[in-house]
Amino acid sequence: MNTRFFCLLLALCTGFIFSTQAQSSYEITTDQPAQFNGIEYGYAIRNESKKEVGSKGSFNRYELTVYVTNKSGCTRLFFPRQTTFGLQDQDLLANFDCVNATGARLTSKTTTVRARPFSVPYSTSTKNAEGKVVTTTIQVQAGHMLENGETVSNNIIVLVPDGEQPQMRVRVQATETSLGRNSYAR
């Protein structure tokens, strides 16, 4: 009985480990974006102001734009892949975290950037009631893409302690496609 339980536990743990996606984490600044496999991950400050938060004192409020730019020289395609938990976050390019953000007053600590979907035509032939062959073509979503030179962005508002700049980190999805196996030159 113990051997069966151990084998079952080992199989479940192995499945969980291989179903999770590894993420590489990089510290970034406005002057120094992260580069990973020809894709640039960075952020820009759009607006800065001071906010008084009741008895907690004053804080710096930043409006940021986080971005992902494909500078690899080829279009990156992200195809769906089945995991133990189903198809989840197939379009996720990166998570951006503000390490010193408070999250107070309806502000955020983290945001994501996602790739846009792409579709391919699918044709099927059927016979209608009169016996004639009718061909129908529909667009089917095949995955997600990041074209060469394309930038995908998202906006976020963070509140950090007074006198501090946002300390940003990016967690990059390390998938087969971001390693270039499922990409093609365009």
Side-chain angles (χ1 to χ4, degrees), residues 83-182:
T83 65
T84 306
F85 304 109
L87 301 173
Q88 297 176 352
D89 292 330
Q90 297 297 308
D91 58 346
L92 183 63
L93 295 173
N95 292 304
F96 288 85
D97 303 312
C98 185
V99 178
N100 61 340
T102 64
R105 307 226 1 145
L106 301 175
T107 60
S108 300
K109 291 183 175 186
T110 186
T111 190
T112 59
V113 174
R114 298 180 178 275
R116 65 182 171 87
F118 78 93
S119 300
V120 295
Y122 173 75
S123 296
T124 182
S125 298
T126 57
K127 289 187 180 183
N128 64 9
E130 295 138 7
K132 292 183 179 180
V133 177
V134 177
T135 303
T136 307
T137 303
I138 59 172
Q139 295 291 322
V140 177
Q141 184 176 334
H144 296 84
M145 73 186 308
L146 186 61
E147 289 191 48
N148 184 37
E150 181 181 8
T151 298
V152 183
S153 64
N154 199 359
N155 295 323
I156 182 175
I157 298 173
V158 296
L159 206 60
V160 299
D162 192 19
E164 292 186 21
Q165 293 271 340
Q167 297 172 2
M168 298 293 292
R169 290 194 70 76
V170 60
R171 290 178 285 142
V172 177
Q173 288 295 112
T175 62
E176 285 184 25
T177 38
S178 62
L179 296 175
R181 289 188 187 153
N182 292 330

Side-chain angles (χ1 to χ4, degrees), residues 48-90:
E48 176 183 352
S49 61
K50 286 217 184 267
K51 277 284 190 203
E52 290 294 325
V53 182
S55 63
K56 296 181 182 180
S58 67
F59 291 84
N60 291 341
R61 180 182 182 272
Y62 289 93
E63 295 177 21
L64 308 175
T65 298
V66 296
Y67 65 88
V68 175
T69 302
N70 183 357
K71 295 183 175 184
S72 67
C74 62
T75 296
R76 297 295 176 124
L77 300 178
F78 303 90
F79 296 106
R81 57 196 175 279
Q82 184 67 40
T83 65
T84 306
F85 304 109
L87 301 173
Q88 297 176 352
D89 292 330
Q90 297 297 308

